[in-house]
Amino acid sequence: MHDLDRIREAARHYESGVRDPDCAEATARAALRACRDALDILVARLRDEGFPTSIPGRIAVDPRDVERAVALLPERPPRVLQLFWEEVGAVCLADSREYSRNEYVHADFFDSRGMVGGSPDGTTDPLWVDGPEPDWIEYLGDDVER
């Protein structure tokens, strides 16, 4: 019954948001803060299990970088992405430094525990949401302009 109550509450929030954009943003921010807290718990639990410390987890984002991203990109990023950056930050559960050498530390962690991903070769896909770092946003802006 508890799940049904949560679904009904989410539906009420959605309906309110459709009628009132301020309510939609407040609801989105609250949901993203809950997501941030859940990610912090997830990363802490993964670390307790030996998840590599070379993998950053959740990364704080400078609010000025969000403003710069909105100003630099030829098209405004989706509002929910801006809210994600503001409330959650960036997220990286992969060791990107090893990608160039085809060494996937995050995959080794899961493989060693017998966890198989859903891709055709059985690998796991990491959670990765880039932040609005100035170099990355400049690159995206140049790529969109071409």
Side-chain angles (χ1 to χ4, degrees):
M1 193 60 141
H2 180 67
D3 288 339
L4 186 55
D5 291 339
R6 289 177 54 197
I7 291 169
R8 287 181 180 144
E9 182 65 20
R12 280 192 292 277
H13 282 295
Y14 173 79
E15 290 166 5
S16 297
V18 168
R19 290 188 300 274
D20 181 359
D22 291 334
C23 179
E25 182 162 322
T27 299
R29 284 186 183 280
L32 289 168
R33 283 190 297 272
C35 176
R36 177 194 61 216
D37 295 344
L39 280 167
D40 288 343
I41 291 167
L42 172 66
V43 170
R45 288 181 179 169
L46 285 170
R47 297 261 191 257
D48 288 346
E49 293 295 320
F51 197 64
T53 56
S54 61
I55 299 173
R58 198 172 61 78
I59 306 159
V61 166
D62 185 330
R64 293 171 297 189
D65 287 343
V66 176
E67 293 169 12
R68 277 192 286 271
V70 171
L72 282 174
L73 288 171
E75 293 193 23
R76 185 180 182 95
R79 182 67 181 141
V80 72
L81 178 58
Q82 294 173 54
L83 294 175
F84 188 92
W85 286 334
E86 291 170 10
E87 298 296 338
V88 177
V91 180
C92 182
L93 296 183
D95 192 339
S96 60
R97 295 172 296 173
E98 307 301 327
Y99 266 51
S100 61
R101 296 194 313 247
N102 258 0
E103 295 176 14
Y104 306 108
V105 177
H106 65 277
D108 293 342
F109 170 81
F110 292 110
D111 289 347
S112 70
R113 284 153 179 80
M115 299 172 77
V116 179
S119 64
D121 63 357
T123 57
T124 55
D125 289 328
L127 173 61
W128 194 330
V129 180
D130 286 308
E133 290 83 16
D135 291 345
W136 176 239
I137 295 300
E138 188 175 319
Y139 168 78
L140 287 177
D142 290 344
D143 193 42
V144 169
E145 287 176 1
R146 283 186 236 145

